[in-house]
Amino acid sequence: MENPNVEKKNNEVEIPKAPNFVERFVTSAVINHTPDDLFIIEFLRPELSAYAEKDSGKILGHKGILVSDVRIYMTPKAAKRFLNALKENISKYEEKFGSITLEEETKGNMD
C-alpha cells in the first residue's frame, strides 16, 4: 500500500515488507566469514533489567547484557555492496552532522 504523503521520484520503487518483518535497535555487531564464501553478521542488542528493594519496590539500579538478536548471511559480493553503501551513508551523515567519534579512538588521547 502506497503512502500518499510520500513524494516519489520516477526511478523509485516501493519495496514491500515481508509479513514477519521486524525492526531492531542494535548497538554492536560481530562479523566473520566462512571458507564456503559466506559472510556472517550477527547483530547484538542490549537487554536491560532493573532491580529493586524487595519491601519498598524502590529501584536500586539496573544492569544489562548484550544478546544476539539477528544473524545475516551474505555472499562476498553482497557484503562488499553492503560495505560500500554503509561507507557512503556514513560519509553523508558526517557531512551533515559532523564526525562520528568512537570511544576506542579517544581512549589513547586521554593520557
Side-chain angles (χ1 to χ4, degrees):
M1 184 161 94
E2 288 189 24
N3 185 342
N5 300 322
V6 176
E7 186 178 320
K8 283 196 213 175
K9 298 176 184 172
N10 289 338
N11 61 346
E12 291 181 350
V13 294
E14 188 170 335
I15 300 171
K17 293 179 179 152
N20 60 345
F21 177 85
V22 292
E23 294 183 33
R24 294 284 194 242
F25 172 77
V26 298
T27 58
S28 299
V30 177
I31 303 171
N32 209 338
H33 61 277
T34 70
D36 299 326
D37 287 335
L38 283 177
F39 280 77
I40 303 164
I41 306 172
E42 192 149 346
F43 293 98
L44 310 174
R45 67 174 170 79
E47 189 171 272
L48 303 174
S49 60
Y51 52 95
E53 199 171 76
K54 189 173 183 176
D55 294 330
S56 70
K58 178 182 176 185
I59 301 291
L60 299 173
H62 65 278
K63 58 184 174 181
I65 59 172
L66 288 174
V67 295
S68 179
D69 196 45
V70 176
R71 183 178 296 147
I72 309 259
Y73 298 91
M74 294 180 154
T75 65
K77 288 182 181 181
K80 186 78 174 228
R81 286 192 297 269
F82 180 73
L83 174 65
N84 290 339
L86 192 56
K87 283 181 179 179
E88 181 182 333
N89 276 275
I90 289 172
S91 179
K92 287 177 184 178
Y93 177 93
E94 289 183 324
E95 283 176 22
K96 188 173 183 178
F97 300 108
S99 181
I100 301 168
T101 305
L102 301 175
E103 288 178 10
E104 50 271 22
E105 293 172 351
T106 59
K107 283 184 182 175
N109 299 329
M110 298 176 89
D111 296 330

